[in-house]
Amino acid sequence: MFSRTILFCVVLVAIAALVAGCGGGASSGNEKAIVAGFYPLAFAAEQIAVGGTAVRNLTPAGAEPHDLELTPSDARAVGDAALVLYLGEGFMPGLETAVAQREGRSLDLLGGEELKQERNEDKEIVPDPHVWLDPIRFAAMARAIGAELGQTEAAARLSGRLERLDAELRRRLATCKRRQIVTSHAAFGYLASRYGLEQVPLEGLSPEAEPSARGIADLVELVKTSGATTVFFETLVSPKLAETVAREAGIETAVLNPLEGLTDDEIAAGEDYFSVMRANLAALRKALGCQT
C-alpha cells in the first residue's frame, strides 16, 4: 500500500512537471520575444538585445509596412510579446490598433519626436514618419530601445556606428554640384534636411499615388526646372511614375532605398541598414555630381 502511494505521488509529480514544462516553455518564449513593426526597428532590436532574444519583424521581406494587415499569427505575437517596437502617427494603423489592445510593454519610437509635415495622397498635411533615414535620429531611437531593454552599452555601440555613418554622409555630400533630389515619393525629407539637400517629391507620403496626365506633365516641368539628372524610385513600389517622368524629362532613373523593408535578394546578399545607406550615398553622389 505504501509503495502504491509513493508510485501514485511520483506519477502526479511527473505529470505536473510535464505540464509546467510545456507551459513554461511557451511562457519563456513569450517573455523573450520582441516584436518590431518593420525592418529598421527589427534591425536595431537585433543589434541591441541580449543573445538568444527572439526578434520578430512583422513586415515580410519585400512588403510595404504602410499597408500591413496583421495575420492571426501576427496578432498573437503582438499580444504575447514582452516588448513591441512600433511607429505611431498612423504609419502602421493595424499594428497601432493591436498595440492599444495589449497589456504588455510597447514603445512608440515617434513618441515625443518633432516631426516634419508632408502631404499624403489626399493632399492632407500629415506627420512624416521616416525618421530612421537620418542616422542621428535613428541613433536616438536606438538609445531609446536600449534603455527600454536595459542594454545601454549595446545601444551606445550601435549609436556610435550611426554617428560615424553620419560623419561619412556629411563629408561625402558636402561637395555636390546640385542640392535637389527628385524622389518618387516624399520619404527622404529627414535625410535631405540633415545634409543640406532639398527633396523634390513627385508625390506625397503615399508611394501608391497616381497622378493624372495633366499632373504628370506638371511633374515633368518641375523636374526640368530643378536641373536634376536623375529621378529616384524605390525597390518596394512600382517605378512606373518615376520612369515616365524621367523619360519625358530626358533624364535617368536610379534607386534610393527608404529602408522600410529589404527584399529577399537583399537579405540573401547579407545587406543591412548600413550597407543600404552607403548604397544610397553612392547613388546620391552620382546624381548630384559630388566631388571626391
Side-chain angles (χ1 to χ4, degrees):
M1 177 72 176
F2 180 69
S3 7
R4 284 200 301 271
T5 301
I6 293 175
L7 180 60
F8 180 69
C9 291
V10 169
V11 171
L12 285 180
V13 170
I15 292 173
L18 179 61
V19 172
C22 294
S27 173
S28 174
N30 289 340
E31 287 171 1
K32 290 184 177 181
I34 298 171
V35 169
F38 71 129
Y39 173 75
L41 304 186
F43 174 77
E46 288 167 352
Q47 299 297 305
I48 295 168
V50 295
T53 300
V55 177
R56 176 168 177 169
N57 180 1
L58 289 179
T59 302
E64 272 281 334
H66 305 282
D67 302 322
L68 179 68
E69 295 184 5
L70 299 187
T71 66
S73 173
D74 292 335
R76 285 193 299 272
V78 170
D80 291 340
L83 176 65
V84 176
L85 303 173
Y86 72 106
L87 299 187
E89 300 292 347
F91 179 65
M92 299 178 73
L95 178 54
E96 288 186 66
T97 299
V99 165
Q101 296 171 349
R102 71 182 244 106
E103 297 179 357
R105 290 183 300 153
S106 302
L107 181 60
D108 177 4
L109 274 305
L110 291 185
E113 287 283 319
E114 183 178 345
L115 302 177
K116 290 180 173 294
Q117 305 294 307
E118 291 285 353
R119 294 188 182 276
N120 63 14
E121 64 273 24
D122 298 319
K123 307 305 180 184
E124 301 168 333
I125 300 296
V126 295
D128 179 359
H130 299 85
V131 293
W132 63 90
L133 289 166
D134 175 346
I136 295 300
R137 284 202 178 221
F138 193 38
M141 293 166 69
R143 290 191 293 272
I145 293 170
E148 188 70 25
L149 294 174
Q151 298 293 325
T152 55
E153 291 186 5
R157 287 193 293 271
L158 177 56
S159 63
R161 291 182 66 195
L162 289 164
E163 288 160 5
R164 291 190 291 276
L165 174 64
D166 166 68
E168 179 181 349
L169 287 164
R170 189 178 301 280
R171 182 180 71 254
R172 303 197 69 202
L173 291 173
T175 59
C176 303
K177 295 178 182 178
R178 293 173 290 279
R179 308 305 296 176
Q180 291 183 318
I181 55 172
V182 178
T183 61
S184 57
H185 91 279
F188 300 92
Y190 296 100
L191 175 70
S193 179
R194 178 64 64 184
Y195 304 109
L197 305 176
E198 178 188 355
Q199 176 181 234
V200 181
L202 299 184
E203 287 296 330
L205 288 174
S206 170
E208 293 85 14
E210 296 184 5
S212 63
R214 176 69 261 173
I216 289 177
D218 291 341
L219 292 174
V220 170
E221 186 59 32
L222 174 68
V223 170
K224 287 181 177 178
T225 302
S226 76
T229 63
T230 306
V231 176
F232 289 106
F233 66 93
E234 302 170 17
T235 53
L236 299 183
V237 297
S238 170
K240 182 178 178 181
L241 175 60
E243 289 173 345
T244 298
V245 171
R247 182 174 62 251
E248 294 298 320
I251 60 177
E252 299 179 347
T253 60
V255 171
L256 198 60
N257 193 327
L259 271 160
E260 293 177 354
L262 300 187
T263 65
D264 288 326
D265 289 343
E266 288 168 334
I267 292 171
E271 301 283 1
D272 66 6
Y273 178 91
F274 289 97
S275 64
V276 173
M277 284 294 284
R278 288 190 169 96
N280 283 344
L281 171 60
L284 286 170
R285 281 177 53 81
K286 179 180 178 182
L288 298 176
C290 304
Q291 304 301 310
T292 302

